[in-house]
Amino acid sequence: MDTSDQNRILTRRLQEMQKEQQSISAVNMALSKSLDHSQFGTALQNHFKQVLKHDEIIILNCDKDEKGFKTFYSSFAEKNYQSHILYHPKDDVLSQCLQSAEPIVFDLKNFSNKSNQEISSVLTTKNTGMRIAVGLALPSFHGQESILFLLYKNYLTSENIPERILAAVSTQLAISMRTVQIFRMAGSLKISLEERNNHEQVETKFQKGFNGIIGESAVMQNIYEQISQVAPSQSGVLIYGETGTGKELIAQAIHDLSSSSHKKMIRINCAAIPANLIESELFGHEKGSFTGATEQRKGKFEQANNSTIFLDEIGELPLELQGRLLRVIQEKEVERIGGNKRIKVEVRIIAATNRNLEEEVAAGRFRSDLYYRLNVFPIELPPLRERKEDIPFLANFFLEKHNKKTGKKITGFSQSVLQEMCRNPWPGNIRELENMVQRSIITSKDNIIKEMIFPKIPDLQQENPQEWQIKTLHQIEKEHILKVVEKCNGRISGKQGAAVLLGLPSTTLISKMQKLGIHKQHYFKPKD
């Protein structure tokens, strides 16, 4: 075979691999958007079927509290396939699938009809008109087992099964099933709102939420989609949002829908720990490494090995520790304070901040290289004032939650209070809303909350309109660098130079100044 033939074969293989990868991405993307059973079925029919080329599909699911498998989805649904029938895990077909890491091909001609409780009777040619069934156990989540069956009318062998594609989409398939179940199990709760004067009753329905996250607005549906997309991967996630928007809940949802959900997510708040202790908290220390280190201690990264670490308020991490965190991310190993042993760690990092890290990088308070390492998959949480349609759902959720704690039987809110809540700007976001609901339960003298006193927050922009104006990041960065250079009397490099104060190499600072249009005449004042 000459070189040209080899190149053609290699090119063809690369094209096939590229096409296969595009197919996998399309299927996973479609499945990740499925939030209910109908959307799940549509994704299977419009995308999954196009890639796997099957004729029919059946998916069984067994919850950890159940004694057998039930039909989660079947393309035979219109033919009245019953979803309540229970299939025992020791069924020969199911047992083979559960014990194998690879797809198993069943020739349905070899099956005999047994009792209606056996999955083999569902797959036989008499019931389905199919010739071949391919069974595969999906990844397990939260103790739930699932088995996928692809059915084909024509005969095929294991060599014809696209195993790589099946393996690549199986995790997302299991994740999407979990998402659909969450919405299905959450159901809705009706709260009657009784007005004493006119005895009018209003019913408010609200969902229990997506993995504990309450909200049905379009912006939150987009957040749920992002969570479903990123959860199966091991990619780092950076969550932006004001204080009180629920960043930790988002991190927990991503962890719970990941393959490491069986392990605990390790949390650390970078703003709540003194700067002199946070290094020990993150990376651990050896006995005697500093005053007060009376015993060896594992750091949060070691504790999170093969799991997830949540770094809350990452923007507060001292600059001198940012470099060490970057090395841990790059090298996947930590070294305890006072130790000389490098410990391998495999950790997924989810970070959160209420700061604008781009501005922090521009101001020299946050390392740009660390920022790019963390900002692989950004999720931006909206403030409560931008998702006001969710306020009634959240308020009723907190009402139910704190009713139990106080022993009161508050049934709801008056319409005037609900309207006031929707008009309030909520600078403290969801945390402030919860506190206000709890306070109103305590002070309420009736069985509904008719009054809620909102704290008055001064509007600094209205009081001093001349002191506040919108500036681009380009302007902010340019002004900040100019101020620092002027403070250093025009010195760029050296110990007393602006580059040291900004935490940048002098060459990087000079390059930035050139890009920002900062020239010597802007900061150098000749002597009289």
Side-chain angles (χ1 to χ4, degrees):
M1 185 182 296
D2 59 26
T3 304
S4 60
D5 290 336
Q6 290 178 340
N7 288 338
R8 278 196 296 271
I9 293 172
L10 181 60
T11 301
R12 187 168 63 250
R13 285 179 180 173
L14 288 173
Q15 289 172 341
E16 289 172 354
M17 289 174 64
Q18 186 178 23
K19 186 178 179 181
E20 185 179 275
Q21 193 57 48
Q22 289 173 344
S23 299
I24 290 168
S25 298
V27 171
N28 283 339
M29 179 66 74
L31 286 171
S32 71
K33 295 179 180 179
S34 304
L35 300 178
D36 58 39
H37 201 269
S38 175
Q39 293 173 352
F40 182 77
T42 300
L44 290 179
Q45 287 296 108
N46 294 348
H47 298 274
F48 200 82
K49 189 172 183 176
Q50 289 184 11
V51 176
L52 278 302
K53 308 297 182 185
H54 55 276
D55 294 296
E56 303 289 353
I57 180 173
I58 297 174
I59 304 177
L60 304 181
N61 177 259
C62 180
D63 187 81
K64 57 185 176 181
D65 298 322
E66 295 176 343
K67 296 181 180 179
F69 284 83
K70 291 182 180 179
T71 303
F72 178 86
Y73 176 85
S74 171
S75 56
F76 295 103
E78 68 276 9
K79 300 177 184 177
N80 296 320
Y81 269 72
Q82 296 175 316
S83 61
H84 65 274
I85 295 178
L86 210 62
Y87 304 103
H88 200 281
K90 290 186 179 180
D91 176 283
D92 184 51
V93 174
L94 301 184
S95 180
Q96 287 185 59
C97 292
L98 291 171
Q99 292 173 14
S100 175
E102 298 176 350
I104 298 179
V105 178
F106 298 98
D107 189 338
L108 300 181
K109 273 195 171 182
N110 299 329
F111 279 29
S112 59
N113 285 333
K114 299 181 182 180
S115 67
N116 288 334
Q117 297 299 308
E118 300 295 336
I119 189 63
S120 56
S121 67
V122 177
L123 302 176
T124 51
T125 54
K126 181 179 178 180
N127 291 330
T128 66
M130 299 295 122
R131 174 64 194 277
I132 294 293
V134 177
L136 175 67
L138 301 177
S140 175
F141 285 97
H142 294 270
Q144 296 186 24
E145 301 285 351
S146 303
I147 300 176
L148 166 71
F149 286 103
L150 301 179
L151 293 100
Y152 298 84
K153 291 180 180 178
N154 299 320
Y155 181 80
L156 52 87
T157 65
S158 57
E159 295 178 357
N160 305 120
I161 304 300
E163 288 190 28
R164 286 196 304 273
I165 295 179
L166 266 177
V169 301
S170 61
T171 299
Q172 182 60 60
L173 187 60
I175 290 284
S176 298
M177 288 175 64
R178 171 72 176 162
T179 301
V180 170
Q181 284 179 313
I182 288 168
F183 274 90
R184 181 194 291 171
M185 290 188 296
S188 63
L189 177 65
K190 294 182 179 179
I191 297 181
S192 296
L193 305 176
E194 181 179 329
E195 294 285 357
R196 282 189 177 183
N197 294 333
N198 55 15
H199 302 285
E200 180 183 357
Q201 290 188 339
V202 182
E203 288 186 338
T204 303
K205 291 184 178 181
F206 68 96
Q207 293 288 339
K208 291 283 188 169
F210 175 91
N211 253 55
I213 307 166
I214 306 298
E216 297 298 313
S217 59
V219 67
M220 290 310 295
Q221 294 294 335
N222 184 53
I223 297 293
Y224 302 154
E225 182 181 327
Q226 289 178 291
I227 292 171
S228 299
Q229 287 173 343
V230 75
S233 71
Q234 286 301 308
S235 297
V237 181
L238 183 55
I239 306 169
Y240 294 92
E242 295 179 6
T243 298
T245 49
K247 297 186 287 294
E248 187 169 344
L249 271 180
I250 300 296
Q252 187 65 58
I254 294 170
H255 173 74
D256 287 345
L257 293 173
S258 72
S259 57
S260 58
S261 59
H262 60 287
K263 301 196 72 175
K264 182 181 178 182
M265 182 178 79
I266 303 300
R267 300 170 173 81
I268 183 168
N269 188 319
C270 301
I273 301 171
N276 60 327
L277 295 179
I278 194 168
E279 184 176 13
S280 172
E281 283 290 321
L282 284 172
F283 311 120
H285 63 254
E286 297 291 348
K287 182 179 179 180
S289 56
F290 55 85
T291 304
T294 57
E295 59 183 4
Q296 184 192 75
R297 182 176 181 180
K298 287 185 177 181
K300 297 294 186 183
F301 270 89
E302 281 187 75
Q303 295 173 36
N305 189 32
N306 294 319
S307 186
T308 306
I309 188 168
F310 176 53
L311 302 176
D312 198 8
E313 304 298 352
I314 188 66
E316 308 295 329
L317 191 68
L319 197 59
E320 59 269 21
L321 285 183
Q322 292 175 21
R324 185 162 181 190
L325 175 59
L326 179 65
R327 287 196 299 273
V328 171
I329 296 173
Q330 290 175 332
E331 299 169 12
K332 295 186 177 182
E333 58 185 23
V334 296
E335 190 174 318
R336 296 176 189 148
I337 297 174
N340 54 15
K341 179 183 176 182
R342 292 191 172 186
I343 303 162
K344 287 287 183 182
V345 289
E346 190 67 43
V347 177
R348 180 187 197 167
I349 296 177
I350 301 178
T353 181
N354 59 9
R355 295 191 177 196
N356 186 322
L357 289 190
E358 287 187 359
E359 291 182 7
E360 295 298 299
V361 169
R365 292 187 292 267
F366 202 87
R367 293 182 59 125
S368 59
D369 44 8
L370 177 59
Y371 167 69
Y372 293 124
R373 279 285 185 174
L374 295 173
N375 197 41
V376 177
F377 193 97
I379 295 179
E380 188 163 354
L381 290 186
L384 189 55
R385 59 186 172 274
E386 293 180 9
R387 44 178 292 216
K388 290 189 175 182
E389 58 266 54
D390 288 331
I391 289 176
F393 301 123
L394 287 160
N396 281 309
F397 175 79
F398 294 135
L399 180 66
E400 182 192 15
K401 174 183 174 181
H402 292 293
N403 251 340
K404 298 174 183 177
K405 294 180 180 180
T406 60
K408 288 195 173 185
K409 295 182 179 179
I410 308 294
T411 58
F413 304 89
S414 69
Q415 287 299 301
S416 60
V417 168
L418 282 172
Q419 290 169 6
E420 283 185 66
M421 283 195 288
C422 290
R423 285 194 294 264
N424 193 55
W426 299 110
N429 292 295
I430 300 169
R431 187 179 295 123
E432 183 188 5
L433 173 62
E434 180 174 7
N435 292 340
M436 289 292 291
V437 170
Q438 188 175 7
R439 185 187 309 164
S440 299
I441 292 172
I442 295 170
T443 58
S444 179
K445 297 177 182 179
D446 300 310
N447 62 341
I448 63 168
I449 294 173
K450 293 183 176 181
E451 186 178 3
M452 187 176 283
I453 301 172
F454 300 94
K456 292 184 178 180
I457 307 296
D459 192 336
L460 298 178
Q461 292 183 26
Q462 290 183 5
E463 291 181 6
N464 302 291
Q466 300 302 319
E467 295 181 11
W468 187 88
Q469 59 177 318
I470 296 174
K471 294 182 180 180
T472 65
L473 292 178
H474 183 281
Q475 289 173 305
I476 292 170
E477 187 176 21
K478 183 175 181 178
E479 288 176 9
H480 183 74
I481 290 176
L482 266 173
K483 287 179 182 178
V484 175
V485 174
E486 287 173 359
K487 180 180 176 66
C488 296
N489 297 317
R491 186 184 293 274
I492 304 298
S493 55
K495 292 183 178 181
Q496 305 299 320
V500 174
L501 290 180
L502 291 169
L504 297 171
S506 57
T507 52
T508 303
L509 178 56
I510 292 168
S511 175
K512 273 183 174 291
M513 291 170 68
Q514 290 173 346
K515 289 179 181 178
L516 293 168
I518 300 174
H519 304 292
K520 196 170 184 179
Q521 61 266 28
H522 291 135
Y523 57 86
F524 182 74
K525 297 178 181 179
K527 295 180 181 179
D528 295 333

